[in-house]
Amino acid sequence: MSMSHKKKPAGRPPARRLLDRLLTTKTHTRDRAYSSGLQLTDVIGHLAVSRTGQVTAWYVAAPQRWSFRTDSDRNWLITAHATRLAELTGRRIHLRITHRPYPVHRWAEALHHATLDPLPGWERYLEEEQRKIARLPLDDKIVYYGVRVGRLSSAGRSSARLMRSAITRESSAIADQAGIVDRIMAAPGMDARPADPAAMDWLLTRSIGLGLPAPVVLPRPSGVWTPEDIAEWTEGIEWTAPDPYSPHIKVSGERDGQRVERYVTVTTLGQMDLPAIPESGYGPWLQRLDRLPFPAEVSATIDVRDGKEANREVLDQLARVQAQRDHHAEHRVAEPMSLARQGALGQIIEDDVRSNFSGLSTRVQCWVRIAVSGRDPEETRARVRMLTEEYTPRVTVVRPAGQYTLAREFIPSEPLAVDSHKRRMPVTTLAGALPAASAEVGDRHGPNLGFTSGITRRPVMWHPWRSQEVRESSGLTPVVGSLGAGKTVLCGQIVYNTSRMGVPWVVLDPSGPVTRLCSLPELRPYSKAIDLMRAEPGTLNPFRIIPDPDPAHYRPDAEEYRNESDPQSAAEDAYRSAVANAQSQRKTLCMDVMSGLLRSQITDSEMTQRALHLAARRVDATTHASPRDFLTALRQLEGSLEEHARDIAELLEAAAELPQGQLIFPRVEAGDDRYQSAHHRLVVMSMRGLTLPTEGSSRAEWSLEEQYSMPLLYLAGWYAQRSVYDRPMSDRKGLWLDECHEMLRVSSGRALLRKTGRDSRKHNVRALYGTQDAGDILTADISNWVDSVFVGRTVGAEAQAAALRLLGIDPGNGYESVLAGLSQRTRGSDQRRGSREFIWSDGDGGIERITVTLDHRPQLRDALDSTANPHKRTATPAENPYVTLSKGGGAS
């Protein structure tokens, strides 16, 4: 098939002017031979003209999200779709569903262009990822609607040179009808835009080359095509049917310089027994095709019936039923129960059509064809069986004879081949097909996370900094899930992939296993694992880990101050305010740390709190201060608090002598430790050996080790954040804080998470917050900065409700069981759960169930595996001692 379209002038004149030109230049259609052999003769913008003069306006529907919506939202979507269809009463609609493959190399190219400074080995990484993604279909579903808007009469054409006024009236009427349909199709529920030349080109390419592989490159067509142009789409394409009753046709043609052929079978939908949608959970009945592991083409011809016509037909059917019942009564024979059912159903339909004025009582009749193709007849038959099984038992899938004429229905402007298998239904049942419903999530610009595992199975990509750089949103991503939900594997994969893109990451890992990332050969030269528990005394000095604001971030020409009346003063005021906030945060952080080092009985005392507050007010809150200055301020308090303050100072002095306390209290003024993370792409700060309290336990029950662990944890969080903020403001950066729910127990920990979320867009940071309970995020006053959310397996009614709210889903709609069912493990099985599942809200309107898998990278998978494995340290299992005994050896 040759696709060398002729060059046309740029731009597209209004439809009315083009129709005028078409009428004045074309002769009678019956007197003209068309080399294409198609009914389609002309394309004007999104209007297609047939030999008989029928004008059809073509539209492309926007994808509709179905997953993780409430039943009320889904019902609204179906009702809105039905309302739009009802507004097209009296018109014929041609529904076409096709697919546009997305080549894997195009994704790799997009990822490469989105990468600024990759690590060595980047080309090999891209090659490995392409092989992984190529195993799954990476194509886009495109839904077309063709709506008849009028007809160009043959009389008008033949008299074109004599009656200019008749031409003007006819083209004006068609243009007006097209405008009416444009508005209907653009309304909510349909959300369809007129097809542009590229979309029309793709529609013809996929329809005439039915079943053939999609061409890799298509030219950029113009907006007006003549019969000579139409013929180019059929050039080189051959359709052959072995015999009239053959179960398929053979389609062959040129694709990228090679001759290829496919065997195509067209099926049609027969009897339907559809349950209530969405209440039954069956889902849109055309969306079921997305579950197939191969693309299926759809062509549906739909007539939206006039109410009077539909009512007249129902009355005729009722009259036939009554005649049969009278006939049985006349012969005194018991009538079949089916007659009574048909009569009752007919009366319901007749009453609905006659008394319902909402438009939702509109009836439609339709013929739904589904085409599948294969490389040989055996593959095609196997795919037809899979299609049939997908709809069994609710819908009958039939393979009629006359495959050649049925296949022609897929081409725009071709007539209906046969009238058999006509389906009559309410417009709401047709709307329940929701052909544009899809499972889109993520983007095509970032690394691969896994694949969707709900209705469809498609690769999932995500560029973590596209939100900040393109959508101007925040970079805060909570990762929620119970123990074993897979949070470490997911976050570790994100860190690994983007580190290879060259993005620097700082990871705070309280338990220590993530440090194994730094040992992977591809990351080892560019990574550093820091054991904070063995760091120099004073490493976690609360006054040093909160840096002073950088004056370079407060320039008058910055976006925040550019529109102020005095940008210079506004920038200076903002800088002074930031300095004051930093000093206030240091005091609060120091006071929280000192409180955390004391027993709860002492901390809860009103005198203790007053003493700590007074000491915090007196201490110098610059980066040169020390907690020892805080102790000095306590000892200098006078009055009623003097003795109590001295006792507190002595207790804190004793804590400073312990190994954990030495991390907080420096012996002398420490030097600059920024060198530890400044020159590495991946820095993992481990607190291996940190003993965190049991979730939900009372502070009074904590051991001394647990008591000291809490202040160290949120100090380490501030320390990790400082390492990120030391980098240039606009550079991409990543921060992963694991076990962040522990930090939310104190004000300074909450301030850390709020500050990171608030500044993530301005500082271009993607912040991953790992937590076991979404309620922590909701109560921490940071949900306003949440961009995307990952929710893994979650148990417990309260935790599930909080997780759903974080996803933007109202609890109580049945999705609690979905959260509990993620990453299921079979009872009694010795096998581990394997790949983990998450519900992902991508921050851009997509919410889907995804599976995160690392099967193609076993070394990375093993490095991130935090499950206990006593055999991991030995190359081979220990020898069974009973084997030796059975060989004759005895115990001495």
Side-chain angles (χ1 to χ4, degrees):
M1 173 173 148
S2 173
M3 297 300 295
S4 56
H5 299 310
K6 299 178 181 179
K7 294 292 184 180
K8 299 290 193 305
R12 183 178 64 185
R16 184 174 303 179
R17 194 188 320 161
L18 290 172
L19 287 167
D20 288 346
R21 191 173 74 187
L22 175 68
L23 284 169
T24 55
T25 57
K26 292 186 67 65
T27 59
H28 199 294
T29 54
R30 295 178 182 175
D31 299 331
R32 180 123 179 213
Y34 293 94
S35 59
S36 69
L38 302 178
Q39 288 293 318
L40 181 67
T41 62
D42 299 88
V43 174
I44 306 168
H46 71 302
L47 304 179
V49 185
S50 71
R51 290 189 189 186
T52 59
Q54 290 286 356
V55 180
T56 303
W58 283 92
Y59 304 87
V60 178
Q64 303 274 10
R65 182 170 70 85
W66 180 262
S67 301
F68 297 97
R69 302 183 73 159
T70 64
D71 282 353
S72 59
D73 288 342
R74 291 173 169 178
N75 276 314
W76 176 90
L77 190 60
I78 293 175
T79 301
H81 190 50
T83 302
R84 301 289 84 78
L85 291 170
E87 292 175 351
L88 299 174
T89 296
R91 301 182 188 273
R92 169 161 285 190
I93 304 171
H94 188 188
L95 169 66
R96 276 288 282 118
I97 301 178
T98 185
H99 297 80
R100 184 188 294 275
Y102 192 92
V104 176
H105 72 82
R106 189 182 302 172
W107 162 78
E109 182 180 359
L111 177 58
H112 181 70
H113 287 311
T115 302
L116 300 178
D117 186 18
L119 296 180
W122 174 249
E123 292 76 10
R124 181 180 177 183
Y125 168 85
L126 274 184
E127 181 182 345
E128 294 167 348
E129 291 297 301
Q130 288 182 79
R131 283 200 296 266
K132 170 192 175 184
I133 295 172
R135 302 188 188 105
L136 295 172
L138 187 62
D139 53 7
D140 298 315
K141 180 171 69 174
I142 306 178
V143 178
Y144 291 90
Y145 286 95
V147 184
R148 286 189 180 176
V149 295
R151 182 175 181 180
L152 300 175
S153 66
S154 57
R157 293 189 184 189
S158 60
S159 60
R161 297 182 181 86
L162 303 176
M163 297 181 63
R164 178 70 192 185
S165 60
I167 296 171
T168 302
R169 286 195 300 272
E170 190 170 354
S171 63
S172 177
I174 292 177
D176 290 343
Q177 287 297 311
I180 293 173
V181 175
D182 286 351
R183 290 189 290 273
I184 294 174
M185 298 300 290
M190 194 68 77
D191 298 306
R193 56 175 175 79
D196 58 21
M200 293 298 296
D201 184 14
W202 186 255
L203 174 62
L204 282 181
T205 300
R206 298 300 281 163
S207 298
I208 297 173
L210 187 65
L212 292 178
V216 175
V217 180
L218 288 177
R220 191 175 186 86
S222 68
V224 180
W225 306 339
T226 64
E228 292 79 7
D229 298 322
I230 300 298
E232 295 181 12
W233 271 268
T234 61
E235 184 180 339
I237 302 294
E238 295 181 5
W239 289 20
T240 57
D243 58 70
Y245 297 100
S246 174
H248 56 257
I249 64 170
K250 184 170 73 172
V251 180
S252 58
E254 293 284 338
R255 282 294 182 265
D256 305 319
Q258 295 183 350
R259 191 73 179 175
V260 295
E261 61 182 31
R262 291 292 185 267
Y263 293 83
V264 180
T265 294
V266 179
T267 63
T268 188
L269 298 188
Q271 295 292 331
M272 296 182 175
D273 182 22
L274 296 172
I277 301 174
E279 289 77 10
S280 64
Y282 188 77
W285 48 271
L286 273 180
Q287 194 187 19
R288 300 186 78 82
L289 297 173
D290 295 345
R291 302 183 181 185
L292 298 173
F294 54 85
E297 300 274 321
V298 175
S299 173
T301 303
I302 304 164
D303 288 335
V304 185
R305 311 290 301 281
D306 179 81
K308 294 180 179 179
E309 179 185 355
N311 191 48
R312 185 166 54 250
E313 185 176 307
V314 172
L315 292 176
D316 289 343
Q317 293 293 336
L318 284 174
R320 293 191 185 97
V321 171
Q322 187 59 45
Q324 294 182 51
R325 299 179 73 173
D326 292 344
H327 184 71
H328 283 80
E330 180 182 351
H331 292 276
R332 298 181 180 180
V333 177
E335 64 182 48
M337 295 181 64
S338 59
L339 280 178
R341 287 198 300 267
Q342 291 178 27
L345 179 61
Q347 289 176 346
I348 294 174
I349 295 174
E350 190 271 338
D351 179 70
D352 186 45
V353 172
R354 180 167 47 83
S355 60
N356 193 326
F357 301 101
S358 65
L360 299 182
S361 62
T362 302
R363 317 297 289 185
V364 299
Q365 59 184 22
C366 60
W367 298 260
V368 182
R369 324 292 194 197
I370 303 174
V372 297
S373 61
R375 294 178 177 84
D376 51 55
E378 290 74 21
E379 184 180 42
T380 305
R381 283 194 293 270
R383 291 183 171 184
V384 170
R385 284 195 299 270
M386 294 176 66
L387 169 65
T388 304
E389 291 169 359
E390 186 60 50
Y391 277 100
T392 303
R394 292 292 186 178
V395 180
T396 303
V397 179
V398 183
R399 180 187 56 76
Q403 288 285 299
Y404 185 89
T405 55
L406 283 171
R408 287 186 69 99
E409 289 186 16
F410 286 76
I411 302 175
S413 298
E414 292 296 309
L416 191 69
V418 292
D419 193 54
S420 60
H421 302 293
K422 179 195 299 182
R423 304 267 59 83
R424 298 181 179 90
M425 61 184 71
V427 70
T428 50
T429 301
L430 177 63
L434 279 180
S438 65
E440 291 190 358
V441 69
D443 54 47
R444 295 281 172 82
H445 301 273
N448 175 252
L449 293 180
F451 54 87
T452 57
S453 51
I455 295 176
T456 62
R457 189 180 176 93
R458 297 286 187 270
V460 175
M461 289 78 165
W462 185 42
H463 191 306
W465 290 271
R466 188 171 175 81
S467 170
Q468 300 93 302
E469 298 170 359
V470 177
R471 292 192 287 110
E472 297 183 301
S473 182
S474 83
L476 176 56
T477 301
V479 182
V480 181
S482 305
L483 288 172
K487 300 187 295 295
T488 300
V489 172
L490 171 63
C491 294
Q493 181 185 11
I494 294 172
V495 170
Y496 173 86
N497 290 331
T498 53
S499 292
R500 299 202 68 172
M501 290 174 62
V503 178
W505 277 88
V506 176
V507 179
L508 176 60
D509 178 27
S511 53
V514 183
T515 55
R516 292 195 292 263
L517 276 177
C518 301
S519 300
L520 293 175
E522 57 270 36
L523 296 180
R524 187 184 299 126
Y526 317 99
S527 305
K528 185 177 182 63
I530 301 176
D531 188 351
L532 291 177
M533 298 296 289
R534 299 181 181 179
E536 291 294 324
T539 297
L540 299 182
N541 177 354
F543 291 95
R544 294 186 61 249
I545 61 179
I546 298 181
D548 279 326
D550 188 345
H553 298 167
Y554 297 86
R555 298 192 308 269
D557 57 348
E559 182 180 352
E560 295 93 326
Y561 319 112
R562 195 179 303 155
N563 297 326
E564 298 288 340
S565 57
D566 189 349
Q568 182 69 35
S569 297
E572 291 175 356
D573 291 344
Y575 175 70
R576 284 192 294 269
S577 176
V579 170
N581 287 336
Q583 294 178 351
S584 176
Q585 287 172 351
R586 293 187 192 107
K587 291 182 178 182
T588 301
L589 179 58
C590 185
M591 193 172 69
D592 283 343
V593 169
M594 298 300 108
S595 297
L597 295 176
L598 298 172
R599 284 291 187 182
S600 61
Q601 298 88 339
I602 300 175
T603 302
D604 294 340
S605 165
E606 181 181 353
M607 293 182 66
T608 301
Q609 291 299 315
R610 288 176 57 197
L612 294 176
H613 276 88
L614 288 174
R617 289 179 59 185
R618 295 185 180 186
V619 75
D620 178 20
T622 67
T623 56
H624 302 292
S626 163
R628 296 192 181 278
D629 298 333
F630 191 90
L631 299 186
T632 301
L634 278 174
R635 293 188 177 101
Q636 292 175 350
L637 292 181
E638 299 175 349
S640 61
L641 294 176
E642 180 178 354
E643 184 177 353
H644 187 73
R646 290 180 180 273
D647 291 341
I648 294 174
E650 292 301 321
L651 292 173
L652 293 175
E653 189 71 54
E657 300 302 322
L658 298 175
Q660 298 95 327
Q662 290 178 11
L663 292 172
I664 302 171
F665 293 87
R667 293 194 183 97
V668 294
E669 176 61 30
D672 190 357
D673 60 353
R674 286 176 170 83
Y675 67 92
Q676 294 195 83
S677 59
H679 303 294
H680 294 88
R681 300 294 180 92
L682 173 61
V683 177
V684 180
M685 298 179 177
S686 168
M687 302 199 76
R688 193 193 311 263
L690 193 71
T691 305
L692 296 176
T694 304
E695 179 73 20
S697 62
S698 170
R699 192 167 182 268
E701 301 172 355
W702 294 355
S703 66
L704 190 63
E705 200 171 23
E706 291 173 336
Q707 176 186 328
Y708 288 169
S709 294
M710 288 299 297
L712 293 179
L713 177 63
Y714 46 84
L715 281 173
W718 283 98
Y719 185 82
Q721 190 211 47
R722 188 196 69 177
S723 300
V724 171
Y725 278 60
D726 279 343
R727 297 184 181 274
M729 194 172 186
S730 60
D731 286 4
R732 293 172 181 168
K733 300 170 282 288
L735 175 65
W736 173 17
L737 299 178
D738 203 5
E739 305 289 349
C740 75
H741 52 278
E742 301 290 352
M743 301 181 190
L744 295 169
R745 298 188 183 188
V746 293
S747 59
S748 57
R750 294 190 292 271
L752 165 65
L753 300 185
R754 283 197 295 268
K755 176 176 174 56
T756 306
R758 182 176 61 248
D759 294 346
S760 59
R761 182 187 67 84
K762 184 167 59 177
H763 286 266
N764 206 11
V765 178
R766 174 56 61 179
L768 303 178
Y769 287 178
T771 180
Q772 297 179 19
D773 191 348
D776 298 326
I777 303 295
L778 295 176
T779 57
D781 197 24
I782 60 175
S783 54
N784 288 339
W785 298 298
V786 170
D787 172 60
S788 53
V789 180
F790 292 92
V791 176
R793 186 171 184 269
T794 304
V795 295
E798 292 184 5
Q800 290 169 350
L804 291 173
R805 290 191 181 96
L806 193 60
L807 287 166
I809 303 172
D810 292 334
N813 287 280
Y815 293 119
E816 290 81 357
S817 59
V818 176
L819 297 184
L822 294 173
S823 308
Q824 280 279 30
R825 178 181 176 274
T826 305
R827 175 179 169 83
S829 172
D830 291 333
Q831 299 295 321
R832 294 170 58 185
R833 283 194 288 264
S835 300
R836 299 300 197 264
E837 294 179 303
F838 289 85
I839 307 302
W840 181 33
S841 172
D842 62 7
D844 198 22
I847 303 179
E848 285 296 334
R849 179 173 178 161
I850 69 170
T851 295
V852 178
T853 177
L854 287 175
D855 292 341
H856 71 304
R857 296 195 182 278
Q859 284 186 308
L860 175 61
R861 180 191 59 203
D862 294 343
L864 295 172
D865 186 1
S866 58
T867 303
N869 184 0
H871 301 290
K872 185 178 292 187
R873 295 184 60 183
T874 57
T876 58
E879 185 178 358
N880 186 349
Y882 294 99
V883 174
T884 306
L885 293 173
S886 66
K887 292 178 180 177
S892 58

